[in-house]
Amino acid sequence: MTTVDRAPSEGLSTTADGRPVPPARERARRRRDLDDPLTSWGAALGVTLLALFLRLWHLGTPKEFEFDETYYAKDAWSMANHGYVREYVEDADKLILDGKTSGVWTDDPSMIVHPEAGKWVIALGEKAFGMDPFGWRVSAAVVGALMVLVMCRLVRRLTGSTALGCVAGLLLSLDGLHFVLSRLALLDIFLAFFLLCAVTCLVVDRDWYRARLAAAVDGPLARSSWGPVRPVLLRPWLVLAGVLFGLAIGTKWTAAVPLAAFGVMVWLWSAGARRSFGVRWPLLRSAVADGLPAFAQLVLVAFVVYVGTWTGWLVHAGEYEEHLSSTQYTRFVAEGATCDDEPTLGDDRWPTASQPDATGPGEVVQSLRSLWSYHQDLFTFHTHFLNCSDHPYRSQPAGWLLLNRPVGVAAHTDIAPGTDGCQAPSDSTCLRQVLLLGTPMLWWGGILALLYAVVRWVGARDWRFGFAVVGTASTWLPWLRYDDRPIFLFYAVAMLPFIVVAITLTMGRLIGPSRLPSSRRTAGVVVAGSFFVLVLVNFAWFWPIYTNELLTRGEWLDRIWFKRWI
């Protein structure tokens, strides 16, 4: 592997074999894939299949609804079979686990508090495999494995190294938080997947855009101080990123912040490309020449896709309007009320509820107005109602990188010796647990890597480290504003891909660009390899509490390193 196609800000003046690094124009014209495509893709697919195997292993156990699966699994089934989310009877969980799906859902619509895109993905697994634990978890397992594939290819593009790409994929697959979420019917794994795919498209767009500028630099607009504008008005990878951001926001609203942050990055990357081709005042000129088309292709496309994810709701908007006064709506607290006040929201919240049904285009407009009113209710819920509740597993987002408070999603305690294979002493017991906890060595090492990434981005102006820093900041820092409400550690899975990128880029810097033997390369390989082995061993150590395996109480306590982990 040579370093010809590494980022221009990497500061290297020669390639691994001593040849000078070509100028920006020449680099932009060249392909980044230096290895045999069969080799690079084959290696990435091998890592992906390993990740998929681990995630499918005993996926149907424990046979119960774990944590918020009790909401999302039932909502997904209702959407797949009725077109929208319906309320369910009181003992729905027991009936479903007994294999029954008839008589479980009522005719009344349910007030869901998150958009529908992620639940549609869960519904695909339920349609394919049935309404059981394996069925509602298999989509998460497949998506988790696909995240590993995308991570391999993203880091391969960022570094030019198939080996580092595979290391990144392996690190992601060996994180406990990602692993457990890939085995649960929760929304966050889908959010993280769509976000990772979206930002990967932006990185591909950066390369594509520079290549198009290089191809047009000798054209009729080459003498213009604006640079070659016309050939890059349509950027297909940007459009695809907009679609994926729309799906991410259609899973959870929190994806809107990364969209805004990376929208700014697209502008800065475009301006940097123009500057490298000699354009004067690149920031201002790129804002006009690139920023406006990019906004339409990224943000407006994301908005359209987001609205499209509510199609099932829009088709059945009449059911929501008819049941506006039912119990599931009146539990929301009005703006400005205290937690002790009774809900005061009335029918006047939704003007469409008292209007006669429209037809044709008027019906579409009426449904969209109802959807807007519904969003106002959701916003009230998230900004006020949640502040009135508490949860034993709530955590402060400031401590997420330290893994300050993991989430227990399933636990079977006090298993007596001689029962269910328990070999504990007679005065003790065994237990099974599924704990949403990141692999500590990975996350704690990630703190150092992120600090180094800030230094490299600011000091060396290496855009790749900036990619990791902006991604981490945009998926983490907004949560600090809401630390007074119950939020959970597993929300941090959206940060994880960017932490892995920072770690892998740091490992690449430790190893160095040259493949020739040297003391620096040897030391770098030893340090980077040792870190990888530590992560692997750490993941294996926590495997029993990731997979609901039987442990004696002493074995369990050996894995609970801090009191806050209980």
Side-chain angles (χ1 to χ4, degrees), residues 330-412:
T330 57
R331 64 191 177 95
F332 289 89
V333 181
E335 296 259 6
T338 67
C339 294
D340 296 328
D341 291 335
E342 290 294 325
T344 58
L345 295 176
D347 290 355
D348 58 343
R349 292 177 294 134
W350 287 29
T352 54
S354 58
Q355 296 175 357
D357 290 339
T359 58
E363 183 179 7
V364 176
V365 173
Q366 189 178 58
S367 296
L368 289 173
R369 290 182 63 195
S370 293
L371 183 62
W372 171 247
S373 299
Y374 189 85
H375 275 62
Q376 291 177 306
D377 282 358
L378 295 186
F379 184 78
T380 300
F381 170 80
H382 285 290
T383 56
H384 184 88
F385 183 79
L386 284 180
N387 295 338
C388 301
S389 59
D390 201 0
H391 198 284
Y393 285 119
R394 68 180 296 176
S395 62
Q396 295 295 316
W400 282 353
L401 289 172
L402 297 172
L403 304 176
N404 59 340
R405 182 63 170 145
V407 178
V409 296
H412 299 271

Side-chain angles (χ1 to χ4, degrees), residues 45-262:
L45 289 172
V47 173
T48 303
L49 290 175
L50 173 62
L52 181 62
F53 172 78
L54 293 176
R55 281 150 180 77
L56 291 176
W57 180 260
H58 291 170
L59 182 63
T61 57
K63 189 180 179 181
E64 61 185 68
F65 288 93
E66 299 184 81
F67 204 66
D68 283 351
E69 283 186 335
T70 187
Y71 305 116
Y72 303 134
K74 295 197 289 283
D75 288 353
W77 178 265
S78 179
M79 289 164 58
N81 290 273
H82 305 297
Y84 65 103
V85 179
R86 291 184 176 184
E87 283 289 326
Y88 38 81
V89 298
E90 186 173 349
D91 57 346
D93 287 8
K94 182 179 183 302
L95 292 172
I96 292 171
L97 292 173
D98 289 340
K100 300 176 182 178
T101 56
S102 60
V104 175
W105 285 268
T106 69
D107 293 332
D108 295 339
S110 175
M111 186 71 169
I112 57 174
V113 297
H114 291 296
E116 299 186 339
K119 282 167 275 191
W120 280 115
V121 183
I122 295 173
L124 292 176
E126 293 175 341
K127 272 293 188 182
F129 297 97
M131 186 57 176
D132 57 36
F134 183 89
W136 64 65
R137 293 171 188 161
V138 68
S139 292
V142 172
V143 164
L146 288 176
M147 277 189 71
V148 172
L149 175 62
V150 176
M151 176 60 70
C152 289
R153 299 306 299 175
L154 169 61
V155 174
R156 170 68 183 83
R157 179 169 288 272
L158 290 172
T159 64
S161 168
T162 297
L164 286 177
C166 290
V167 166
L170 287 169
L171 288 175
L172 182 64
S173 69
L174 294 175
D175 175 66
L177 192 63
H178 183 272
F179 175 76
V180 177
L181 281 173
S182 299
R183 294 165 56 85
L184 294 173
L186 303 186
L187 299 180
D188 299 83
I189 193 67
F190 306 110
L191 167 69
F193 172 69
F194 290 134
L195 279 178
L196 177 59
C197 290
V199 297
T200 299
C201 287
L202 295 183
V203 172
V204 178
D205 171 76
R206 182 184 184 277
D207 291 342
W208 181 90
Y209 175 82
R210 286 173 172 261
R212 290 297 297 269
L213 280 182
V217 77
D218 296 322
L221 295 174
R223 297 183 183 89
S224 170
S225 61
W226 288 79
V229 179
R230 193 172 302 164
V232 290
L233 281 177
L234 179 63
R235 297 163 68 167
W237 287 103
L238 211 56
V239 174
L240 182 56
V243 172
L244 291 162
F245 270 119
L247 292 173
I249 301 172
T251 302
K252 277 193 171 184
W253 285 353
T254 50
V257 178
L259 170 60
F262 278 99

